[in-house]
Amino acid sequence: MTVSLCGRKVFVRTFGCQMNENDSEHIAGVLLRAGAVRTDRPESADVVIVNTCAVRRKSEEKLYSYLGRLSRLKRKRPFVLGVAGCVAQVRKADLLTKLPFVDVVVGPDGYPDLPELVVRAAEAPEVRTELGPVWREIGAEATARENPWSAFVPVMEGCDNYCAYCIVPFSRGREKFRPLANILAEVRAAAAAGALEIQLLGQNVNAYRDPGSGLGFAGLLDAVAAVPGPAWIRFITSHPKSFGDDIVRAMAASPKVCRALHLPLQSGSTPVLGRMNRGYTCEGYLGLVARLKESVPGTLLTTDIIVGFPGETEDDFQRTCDVLREVRYAGIFSFRYSPRPLTAAADIPDDIPLEVKRRRLVELQALQKTIQVEANRAFVGRDLRVLATGPSPKGAGRFSGRTEGNLVVNFDAPTDPTGRFLTVRITGSGPYSLHGTAV
Ligand code: SAH
Ligand code: SF4
Ligand code: F3S
């Protein structure tokens, strides 16, 4: 059925990871193609879609307080309110019981049907949360990109790893791979539209296998690097378990593949990793890091850490701190463990007291901060290539950008360089960014 949303104003708000940011570009794209127009304020919208994240308890709590605000707005001025993404997929129709002011609940595989769902929901609430067995192709033509110079390109979705703490296999379903030809077509289209950077996306990108030819992630990287145009290729997120030496070689072989890798560790204690069902040991992880540093020199690593997983002893926690000292990550994302519904760990007692989790997180972040202060200082005096991403929150004449290693740089420039490469002379550094002047 083709439906028209002619002239209806849509507002899309995104919580969560890059996969969700890209899905929001699909959501907006599908609605705009049906005739809707964008608005940047929920106050003036006819349709509001909230794309949600379920990964930690806090992510879900943030969502409910935001939805509370929307319900007050809706009392003043009616609109169709849709909840999309991972919370929608996991909570399903229960969301309508809990939040009667919601009109549409739609999981990731339902986005192509959004125009129809929105129109029908104006009459009665709609729930669409079946997960299909194969890749749902939305296509480049229905992607309303946030900006033309950096393009997200999804390559796989879902996850079969079932880490004990993680809700993603339930919110995104089983692993599904996008056909290579469609990925390359989207990369070419993004290149033609001026993309300087391609970010390949998936919950577990390095598990990639082309459904037709069986070509793996290393082959995919080679194929994407062969598309003329984009200067930088990134990919997120990689799992240490399936990060083969062929991928290390593919990184080393192409200067277009950024010397940056997000490689979630979660814990530096092998027994904790075992209970988390991560599929590698601490030694195995460190071996991979050593091979990477040798074959692709200068690679900046980032990671994810969970503190306070059930049974984590002080000694386990210190092992994690040891890994931070050894690897010297350029950045970390660190979280206190929170039990999530449907996961294996939800059945074991969450036995680390909140105070202990808090203290471990503070200690870990303080350690990492000293590492970053030192590491970032080493860039002072150097000229770095930067992709400018927009004005800096710091004020007039200042802009922000990212380096190949994904470090944030704030800099002065005479004219707005947003969406272009430039060289910045680094004059100073802090724990979380570098600063300098365009040369
Ligand atoms: N696919 C990626 C990331 C998934 S979610 C991966 O495999 O690493 C992003 C991060 O959230 C995870 O790496 C983990 O550090 C954190 N996380 C996931 N579930 C969590 C939970 N129940 N409690 C705390 N942190 C969690
Ligand atoms: Fe979650 Fe583990 Fe899959 Fe990452 S690899 S999405 S942490 S289950
Ligand atoms: Fe969150 Fe879903 Fe991403 S749970 S981290 S938005 S895959």
Side-chain angles (χ1 to χ4, degrees), residues 62-276:
K62 253 183 21 204
L63 165 71
Y64 295 132
S65 81
Y66 182 66
L67 289 176
R69 273 173 41 209
L70 289 180
S71 82
R72 288 189 289 280
L73 199 62
K74 208 176 158 183
R75 261 180 257 142
K76 286 190 227 147
R77 190 180 166 281
F79 51 83
V80 172
L81 175 55
V83 177
C86 293
V87 177
Q89 187 60 43
V90 172
R91 302 287 180 193
K92 301 187 164 69
D94 287 352
L95 273 180
L96 296 179
T97 322
K98 190 170 170 180
L99 310 164
F101 51 88
V102 169
D103 305 296
V104 188
V105 176
V106 57
D109 279 5
Y111 301 157
D113 307 326
L114 260 169
E116 188 188 329
L117 291 172
V118 162
V119 167
R120 289 209 312 247
E123 310 296 323
E126 281 282 338
V127 178
R128 173 72 57 91
T129 52
E130 308 85 58
L131 285 176
V134 293
W135 182 263
R136 72 185 147 89
E137 194 61 58
I138 291 196
E141 69 288 355
T143 303
R145 293 202 190 282
E146 284 297 316
N147 65 60
W149 66 84
S150 176
F152 289 130
V153 177
V155 305
M156 58 88 63
E157 176 167 48
C159 185
D160 284 356
N161 285 320
Y162 295 95
C163 299
Y165 51 81
C166 185
I167 200 168
V168 170
F170 306 97
S171 69
R172 295 284 176 165
R174 303 299 302 261
E175 216 162 62
K176 286 172 268 190
F177 302 125
R178 187 179 187 190
L180 177 69
N182 301 7
I183 296 171
L184 292 177
E186 184 168 347
V187 171
R188 279 188 217 106
L196 301 176
E197 175 183 63
I198 300 290
Q199 306 201 50
L200 304 176
L201 295 183
Q203 276 86 16
N204 190 8
V205 278
N206 50 320
Y208 182 78
R209 288 263 165 267
D210 173 32
S213 67
L215 184 88
F217 187 67
L220 173 66
L221 271 184
D222 293 339
V224 172
V227 175
W232 282 355
I233 299 161
R234 301 181 190 283
F235 51 92
I236 193 160
T237 297
S238 300
H239 196 301
K241 181 177 72 175
S242 37
F243 205 94
D245 287 339
D246 56 334
I247 304 175
V248 177
R249 275 196 298 277
M251 286 183 76
S254 174
K256 287 166 89 175
V257 179
C258 289
R259 270 51 183 154
L261 183 66
H262 186 64
L263 197 63
L265 169 71
Q266 312 300 357
S267 168
S269 155
T270 295
V272 172
L273 289 170
R275 292 204 302 281
M276 286 178 164

Side-chain angles (χ1 to χ4, degrees), residues 171-431:
S171 69
R172 295 284 176 165
R174 303 299 302 261
E175 216 162 62
K176 286 172 268 190
F177 302 125
R178 187 179 187 190
L180 177 69
N182 301 7
I183 296 171
L184 292 177
E186 184 168 347
V187 171
R188 279 188 217 106
L196 301 176
E197 175 183 63
I198 300 290
Q199 306 201 50
L200 304 176
L201 295 183
Q203 276 86 16
N204 190 8
V205 278
N206 50 320
Y208 182 78
R209 288 263 165 267
D210 173 32
S213 67
L215 184 88
F217 187 67
L220 173 66
L221 271 184
D222 293 339
V224 172
V227 175
W232 282 355
I233 299 161
R234 301 181 190 283
F235 51 92
I236 193 160
T237 297
S238 300
H239 196 301
K241 181 177 72 175
S242 37
F243 205 94
D245 287 339
D246 56 334
I247 304 175
V248 177
R249 275 196 298 277
M251 286 183 76
S254 174
K256 287 166 89 175
V257 179
C258 289
R259 270 51 183 154
L261 183 66
H262 186 64
L263 197 63
L265 169 71
Q266 312 300 357
S267 168
S269 155
T270 295
V272 172
L273 289 170
R275 292 204 302 281
M276 286 178 164
N277 191 30
R278 287 290 288 175
Y280 53 87
T281 62
C282 181
E283 296 68 38
Y285 181 98
L286 291 174
L288 169 59
V289 168
R291 289 196 298 284
L292 214 118
K293 285 188 171 176
E294 198 194 313
S295 304
V296 203
T299 299
L300 294 187
L301 286 153
T302 50
T303 201
D304 292 349
I305 304 285
I306 297 174
V307 300
F309 187 73
E312 184 189 65
T313 64
E314 201 52 37
D315 190 56
D316 291 323
F317 170 66
Q318 290 306 328
R319 297 280 82 81
T320 303
C321 296
D322 290 343
V323 175
L324 262 52
R325 288 187 199 95
E326 178 170 344
V327 176
R328 298 179 62 79
Y329 295 103
I332 65 167
F333 298 93
S334 50
F335 315 101
R336 292 195 305 258
Y337 169 73
S338 59
R340 304 304 293 138
L342 307 170
T343 63
D347 297 332
I348 46 178
D350 179 17
D351 61 355
I352 309 298
L354 183 58
E355 283 322 301
V356 175
K357 285 182 185 166
R358 281 205 177 115
R359 200 248 311 137
R360 286 180 187 166
L361 192 67
V362 168
E363 199 178 316
L364 187 87
Q365 291 175 344
L367 166 63
Q368 180 59 24
K369 191 173 171 182
T370 62
I371 292 170
Q372 286 177 208
V373 165
E374 268 180 51
N376 288 348
R377 209 178 275 145
F379 291 100
V380 176
R382 283 175 57 182
D383 288 349
L384 299 182
R385 192 180 190 207
V386 168
L387 177 57
T389 50
S392 146
K394 297 262 160 66
R398 281 184 80 72
F399 300 91
S400 288
R402 285 183 282 104
T403 66
E404 177 185 343
N406 229 359
L407 294 170
V408 173
V409 183
N410 296 307
F411 57 93
D412 299 304
T415 53
D416 187 346
T418 301
R420 296 202 307 268
F421 283 114
L422 75 162
T423 303
V424 175
R425 179 152 304 156
I426 305 302
T427 54
S429 67

Side-chain angles (χ1 to χ4, degrees), residues 15-17 19-20 52-55 86 167-168 171-172 203:
F15 293 89
C17 62
M19 190 60 114
N20 257 17
T52 63
C53 174
V55 79
C86 293
I167 200 168
V168 170
S171 69
R172 295 284 176 165
Q203 276 86 16

